[in-house]
Amino acid sequence: MKVLLLGYGNVGKAFVELLRENQLNVKVVGAFKRGGLVAPLGGEEKAVEIEKGLEQLSPDVLVDVSSPNYVNGEPSVSAYLEAFKRGIHVITANKAPLALKFGEILDEARKRKASLGFQATVMSGVPSVNLRRVLPALKVYELRGILNGTTNYILSKMHDGLSFDQALKEAQEQGFAEPDPTLDVNGFDSAAKLTILANVYFGCRKSIKDVRFSGIEHIDFSEVGRWRNEGLKPKLVAKASRSELRVSVEALTRNDPLYHVDGVTNGLLIRTDIQDIFISGPGAGPKRAAYGILSDLLIISSGQS
Ligand code: 80F
C-alpha cells in the first residue's frame, strides 16, 4: 500500500516511525510541505502542485497531517476532493476541514467510493470516532465530553488552588499548551471536535458554525473555590444532542463520570437507548495521533471501512 503525506511535522514523523516499528507493508512515497513536494522522504523539496503530485505518485491513501486552517480548510479540502476523484482514500488528523465542510467531503468520498478516516481528529488514538462502527443499531441521544486536554489541565489545577495564569504557565512549561493557546482556551478546539463527533453519532451534517461555545478565559477564581467547597469541579463540557451543540464550563458533581477526568486526559460519555458508554484516555501526543491514523489505515486496508 502506498501512502502520501500532506504535512510532515511531529505527527507525520511519529506515523512513519510507527509504520517502521510495526513492519507493515506500507510505503510512504513522499510528503507535501508548505513549499512543495518531498519525494522520496528525505529528498529535495520541489515545487509541485498537490494535484500533480497525486497524479505522478498515485498513492492508495493520502494522509493529512498538516496544520489546521480554520479560514477555509485549504489546501486540505481541495486535496481530499482531488484524491477522491482518483479513488484515493483519505485519512486525516487535521480537524479543520471536517469541522468546516464535513458534509461536502463525506458526500464526495461516498460518490467516488473512497474511504475517509479521521479517528485522530478527536481524542487521538482513543477510539472516539471509530467506536461508532461497532455500535450498530444503538440510538444515540446525547454526547458529553471533555475533549480538550489543555483546558482540562488548567481547570484541574485551578480546582487544586492555582490561579488561571499560574495554571496556564504550568501547562505551557509541561508542553501541554501551545505558546498561543487561544483556540484551546476559548473553547474553539472543543467545538471543532464536538462538530465531528455529532456528525458521526447523529449522522448529521453540522459545521462549527452550529456550535454555541464559550471557553475558560473568564472563569472566576473565587467561584472555583466556592464550587470546591460545595464538592463541585469545573469542567469544559462539550455537549451534543440532535437539536443542540454546545461547549461551556459546568460545575460537575462527583457522580458524573466526567468529574473524574482530570489533567490532560479526555473523556466521552455516549448516552444511548440501551446503555451509557464511557471512554477516557490521553487525547494528545504525536505517537497517539499516529496510532489513530494507523488504526484507520488498517481498517481501510482490510476493506472494513
Ligand atoms: P506540526 O506543526 O509539527 O506539523 C505540521 C506540518 O504541516 C508541517 O510539516 C508543515 O510544513 C505542514 N504544513 C503546514 N501547512 C501546510 C500546507 N499548506 N501544505 C502542506 N503542508 C503544510 O503539527 P503536528 O503536531 O504534526 O500536527 C499535525 C496535525 O495533526 C494538525 O492538524 C494537528 O491539529 C493534528 N493533531 C495533532 C496532535 C498532536 O498531538 C494530535 C491530534 C491531531 O487536537 C489537537 O489539536 C491536538 N492537540 C490533539 S493530539 N500533535
Side-chain angles (χ1 to χ4, degrees), residues 146-154 176 189 193 263-266:
I146 292 175
L147 304 177
N148 182 274
T150 303
T151 45
N152 201 43
Y153 181 87
I154 294 171
F176 299 142
D189 178 77
K193 290 168 177 164
V264 284
T265 305
N266 285 186

Side-chain angles (χ1 to χ4, degrees), residues 35-37 45-49:
L37 177 65
E45 192 166 327
K46 295 199 179 114
V48 176
E49 304 271 305

Side-chain angles (χ1 to χ4, degrees), residues 148-202:
N148 182 274
T150 303
T151 45
N152 201 43
Y153 181 87
I154 294 171
L155 290 178
S156 298
K157 288 289 168 185
M158 287 179 77
H159 180 75
D160 292 344
L162 261 57
S163 71
F164 176 88
D165 290 337
Q166 284 169 325
L168 174 60
K169 187 162 169 278
E170 212 180 284
Q172 283 169 328
E173 280 165 7
Q174 304 270 337
F176 299 142
E178 301 287 328
D180 177 7
T182 313
L183 296 184
D184 293 319
V185 167
N186 71 8
F188 188 93
D189 178 77
S190 296
K193 290 168 177 164
L194 184 68
T195 307
I196 294 171
L197 285 181
N199 285 330
V200 169
Y201 281 89
F202 298 126

